[in-house]
Amino acid sequence: MIIELICAPFFLLVDGIIALLPVLTYIPTSIVDTISLLLKAMQFFPTDVWVMAIGNIVFWLTIHFIVSLIKFVVGWIPFISMGD
């Protein structure tokens, strides 16, 4: 019961994101082509390789974003001005 209460905001967020997705009666060919490309790629590399690759990309994008945000904030402090 307590775990359900703790996880409820996460589930509401996921449900909200899913609700934003449009319901397609016609699937565009570009989406079908992308899905078929991903299916072919999944035949050559297992799922753990894809999880590690996507996790690595997201990790480094997050690090670069945090560093640029810190440089931006430090650049606004007039006495330090290390962001340049």
Side-chain angles (χ1 to χ4, degrees):
M1 190 94 169
I2 294 174
I3 295 174
E4 183 180 351
L5 182 64
I6 292 171
C7 294
F10 175 72
F11 291 136
L12 288 173
L13 180 66
V14 170
D15 287 339
I17 291 172
I18 291 173
L20 290 175
L21 296 173
V23 177
L24 298 175
T25 56
Y26 169 73
I27 300 175
T29 57
S30 61
I31 293 176
V32 174
D33 293 339
T34 304
I35 291 172
S36 66
L37 177 73
L38 290 175
L39 287 176
K40 288 178 185 175
M42 290 293 284
Q43 292 175 355
F44 291 106
F45 298 108
T47 307
D48 57 346
V49 173
W50 290 104
V51 169
M52 288 297 291
I54 293 172
N56 194 7
I57 292 169
V58 170
F59 172 74
W60 285 109
L61 285 174
T62 305
I63 294 297
H64 283 285
F65 176 74
I66 291 171
V67 168
S68 64
L69 186 66
I70 290 171
K71 284 185 178 182
F72 177 75
V73 169
V74 169
W76 277 90
I77 300 173
F79 296 111
I80 297 176
S81 187
M82 290 173 32
D84 295 333

